[in-house]
Amino acid sequence: MEPRKRPEYVLEVLADPTCVKDIVRGILHTIFFHRYFPSMRPSSLEVLDLTLPVVADPELETLIETRVGQLVRQLSSTSSPSGGSRGELGVRFFEKRRRKAGGLGGWLTGTARNEEEICWEVWKLKITLTTPRTESERMTLLRAEAPALQRTAMSIVKIVNRDKDHIPPITTSEANPFPYEILLNPRAEYDGKTIGFYA
């Protein structure tokens, strides 16, 4: 049986320093709202007069806040004289699979793991921080941010509604059947089978 093709989705985000944190949080929560399978009570977040879904899970919210905070600090410290900087966040979702029997090495040493995590979906957020130099530039950027965020949110909805065949079956009774990670500035390395992310 041929392995499933793991999709990778890239979302371009443009933001100014006053809104970047809320915009990125809103986008991450929108992705997780559609890919977080435990039962939950939906909540919402208002960003630029748009209502976006929020996954009200303390562990996930802490991870999102941590990564967004790291991103904002990085963008603030690397701003160029022209008033802009770039950063990236990567989100990966995994399934747990039973590891195929591969010899006695781990069993004899007591280090055998009977599960492995296989990535089944990747999202990349490429964030450009733009610092307006004039009031006119600031107003133009503010008028562009809300429609851009709405297009990004609708793109996420279209993708998750269209691309479902790659989602693995839920084979566990754990609260969250699919582990995930959010990484700052992931670097992709393709070896024909996997893409590795490194913070």
Side-chain angles (χ1 to χ4, degrees):
M1 184 169 134
E2 191 173 311
R4 284 183 293 234
K5 172 106 173 92
R6 174 190 51 245
E8 182 175 302
Y9 306 108
V10 178
L11 302 171
E12 300 279 342
V13 180
L14 179 68
D16 74 292
T18 61
C19 299
V20 66
K21 184 175 183 179
D22 289 336
I23 289 172
V24 174
R25 279 182 60 230
I27 292 169
L28 288 173
H29 271 289
T30 302
I31 292 168
F32 276 97
F33 183 80
H34 295 284
R35 291 298 189 237
Y36 191 78
F37 293 99
S39 61
M40 64 176 160
R41 170 172 277 172
S43 189
S44 63
L45 169 70
E46 294 292 324
V47 180
L48 301 173
D49 294 328
L50 295 172
T51 303
L52 298 174
V54 170
V55 176
D57 175 77
E59 184 179 323
L60 177 60
E61 287 184 272
T62 299
L63 179 60
I64 287 174
E65 288 299 321
T66 300
R67 292 298 183 261
V68 170
Q70 291 170 340
L71 173 73
V72 169
R73 282 190 298 281
Q74 174 202 311
L75 292 172
S76 298
S77 68
T78 61
S79 187
S80 70
S82 63
S85 58
R86 295 178 183 264
E88 189 174 315
L89 288 175
V91 179
R92 295 197 310 170
F93 294 95
F94 300 91
E95 72 172 304
K96 290 182 181 180
R97 285 191 191 162
R98 286 190 170 264
R99 193 178 294 270
K100 294 179 180 148
L104 299 176
W107 180 76
L108 291 174
T109 61
T111 60
R113 288 184 44 202
N114 61 355
E115 289 184 338
E116 61 183 333
E117 290 183 348
I118 307 296
C119 182
W120 58 269
E121 187 171 84
V122 177
W123 292 82
K124 287 185 179 180
L125 279 68
K126 295 185 177 208
I127 299 100
T128 302
L129 182 70
T130 303
T131 305
R133 290 173 285 197
T134 66
E135 184 63 22
S136 173
E137 286 180 3
R138 188 180 76 75
M139 293 307 294
T140 301
L141 182 60
L142 285 175
R143 281 193 299 271
E145 283 177 317
L149 178 58
Q150 184 175 19
R151 281 191 304 274
T152 300
M154 291 309 298
S155 292
I156 293 167
V157 171
K158 286 177 188 173
I159 288 167
V160 299
N161 285 330
R162 178 191 68 212
D163 299 350
K164 299 176 187 175
D165 294 342
H166 67 283
I167 299 174
I170 296 175
T171 59
T172 180
S173 60
E174 293 179 30
N176 181 19
F178 301 121
Y180 54 84
E181 63 184 0
I182 304 172
L183 298 169
L184 179 64
N185 295 322
R187 184 185 62 188
E189 291 185 353
Y190 182 68
D191 65 6
K193 294 182 183 174
T194 61
I195 293 181
F197 284 81
Y198 306 94

